[in-house]
Amino acid sequence: MRALVCEELGSLSLRDLPTPEPGPGQVLIEVEAAGVNFVDGLFVQGRYQIKPPLPFVPGSEIAGTVVATGPDVTTPAPGTRVVAMCGLGGFATHITAPALTTVPTTLDAPRAATFIQSYCTALFALKNRTTLAPNETILILGAGGGVGLAAVQVAKALGARVLAAASTPEKREAARSAGADETIDTTDDIKTAARSLSDGGVDVIYDPVGGDLADPALRALREGGRYTVIGFASGTIPSLPLNQVLLRNRTVVGVDWGAWQLHHPLEQRALLETLLTWTDEGKITPPSPRTEPLERAAEVLADLHERRVVGKVALIP
Ligand SMILES: NC(=O)c1ccc[n+]([C@@H]2O[C@H](COP(=O)([O-])OP(=O)(O)OC[C@H]3O[C@@H](n4cnc5c(N)ncnc54)[C@H](OP(=O)(O)O)[C@@H]3O)[C@@H](O)[C@H]2O)c1
């Protein structure tokens, strides 16, 4: 098989490697597309909290076809098209994965490969960590990015009114196409903009960005509002003023879907199956990602970390 290998931090090399055999409980998948996520770049740079020993193959989610199964595995059968979270190893032509973590899908490979992390994080945040009620208003930061755009669709599917904040017209347009009711330019005063678009304050903040946006976003929450902490794409972990949490009885909610799904594989499977059913029903329509050949992974990761990506990117091996 071919794979992109991180042999020293910060660089990737295309290598021929032995194709793995599926062990007990595993399937071998021929990868048709690999989703590129913010965390993949952090792994390659050695900036993620988990530091795999070198060499390693990055790539945390894939879509493809099962081509072989381990001795005790009956489903999914060879020929089944599946998506899988893999943590590492996705930037390759083949990968083994636990059968339990693979879920059949009818989505095309690029959309399937860019689906799991973004959409599961959104539903986990808005259903398991807080409850976004129909007719509530949510302000989504980084709404033109992968996690943010997925949250726009999931929030609309839950019946909410969505205010989408992003830095460029292109990203705001992507959020509007994904279903956002209103958009906010993050170079404006987002506290004032969000309050004026929500009759005095929003019910929920979805924040994958952090940095300077956090303080004004927190102040845009209404009485009883919830601030969900998703990530720090800005590179700065903000300090929130606790007097602003006390005022108006607000709540700050941590969301660590990545760790949760590792420890709750059956619940994660149910969450993913719910979301894939929603795609089959047309309740959510994941936008098609930009596609690039596997060899361009380093450029794509740089684009992602330098804010140039609208939505998602899938690598095609
Ligand atoms: N909690 C969880 O379980 C979980 C799960 C998945 C991902 N995450 C985290 O969520 C964050 C966002 O992931 P993503 O896939 O949505 O990333 P993304 O597609 O790159 O989007 C992030 C957005 O953040 C904004 N941003 C502001 N400053 C930035 C900077 N200096 N560099 C990059 N982006 C910047 C950009 O929007 P504007 O240009 O509009 O400002 C960008 O579109 C990451 O930190 C990721 O690790 C957390």
Side-chain angles (χ1 to χ4, degrees), residues 38 121 145-147 166-167 171 208-209 230 232-234 255 257-258 305 307:
F38 208 86
T121 299
V147 162
S167 66
K171 288 181 180 178
V209 182
I230 308 297
F232 313 106
S234 65
V255 178
W257 168 79
H305 283 206
R307 255 167 130 167

Side-chain angles (χ1 to χ4, degrees), residues 138-163:
I138 182 170
L139 168 62
I140 296 173
L141 308 181
V147 162
L149 265 188
V152 169
Q153 292 214 326
V154 169
K156 286 309 295 175
L158 293 171
R161 184 158 168 272
V162 173
L163 313 183

Side-chain angles (χ1 to χ4, degrees), residues 7 17 63 69 72 77 85 114 168 228 238 257 273-274 301 312:
E7 293 166 338
L17 299 176
T69 58
D72 52 347
M85 267 306 286
T114 48
T168 66
T228 61
W257 168 79
E273 283 172 343
T274 298
L301 288 172
K312 304 279 300 183

